[in-house]
Amino acid sequence: MLLKNRGEQVSSNTNQHAKVLPGFEPRRFEERLTTDIYPADFGWTPDWQQPEKRLDWYHNMSSVIEAGPCVRTNQLDFDDEVVAAARQKLFDLARDTDTRPFCLTVSLTHPHDPFAISHKYWDLFEGVAIPAPSMAQAATEDDPHSARIRAM
């Protein structure tokens, strides 16, 4: 909102996961180039009164265990749409007479679980040893969200 308040052009082309109330988003961006791939309501908000309860849709290790190549996913389709819209927006900005600075926020869903990707990229790592992360948990108390995630 800071850039918009300074008079800059601000466009969004992202998968926001933000739980946005109707009418709120236009205050942050002048335009939205794509729809969101996931719901922008409170349907994914956990019940913080029951921190041990796991939501039915919530991530688990199946997205890692079942990772592999695929032909297409809705996330790959969404990423293609985001790239095309961002590219078109840059062309439109180049032709526009509006000389204000601009900010174009672009984000892709991949890599994201489920970890399924086309053979083109999956095969790049065939036979390649990838070491496990070596970072240890911090010696501090977790915030409520991190504690909830670790408990699952």
Side-chain angles (χ1 to χ4, degrees):
M1 199 148 101
L2 174 66
L3 297 175
K4 185 177 176 184
N5 289 345
R6 288 179 23 183
E8 298 187 21
Q9 300 176 67
V10 184
S11 300
S12 168
N13 191 23
T14 67
N15 170 33
Q16 294 188 344
H17 280 319
K19 306 310 177 214
V20 178
L21 296 173
F24 178 74
E25 187 170 331
R27 288 182 268 170
R28 296 187 293 172
F29 300 104
E30 289 179 333
E31 67 179 331
R32 175 89 187 242
L33 304 180
T34 58
T35 59
D36 204 334
I37 189 172
Y38 296 110
D41 60 11
F42 292 96
W44 286 8
T45 305
D47 181 351
W48 291 99
Q49 300 301 315
Q50 299 178 18
E52 72 290 343
K53 183 180 178 192
R54 182 187 183 90
L55 300 173
D56 294 340
W57 57 264
Y58 203 76
H59 309 278
N60 58 38
M61 284 304 293
S62 68
S63 62
V64 174
I65 295 167
E66 298 169 8
C70 66
V71 176
R72 291 299 294 178
T73 66
N74 65 328
Q75 292 171 323
L76 289 171
D77 292 344
F78 181 78
D79 286 353
D80 286 350
E81 179 184 348
V82 167
V83 169
R87 187 171 187 253
Q88 184 60 53
K89 180 63 180 177
L90 291 173
F91 291 148
D92 294 345
L93 287 165
R95 289 188 291 261
D96 199 340
T97 57
D98 188 340
T99 59
R100 293 179 298 158
F102 70 90
C103 173
L104 174 58
T105 303
V106 178
S107 76
L108 305 175
T109 62
H110 272 275
H112 191 290
D113 64 341
F115 298 109
I117 194 70
S118 67
H119 274 283
K120 174 182 176 182
Y121 297 106
W122 184 264
D123 293 345
L124 291 174
F125 297 94
E126 185 65 36
V128 176
I130 302 173
S134 60
M135 186 172 171
Q137 181 177 347
T140 60
E141 187 175 329
D142 283 334
D143 58 90
H145 176 70
S146 298
R148 184 174 187 283
I149 298 297
R150 290 187 201 284
M152 294 183 176

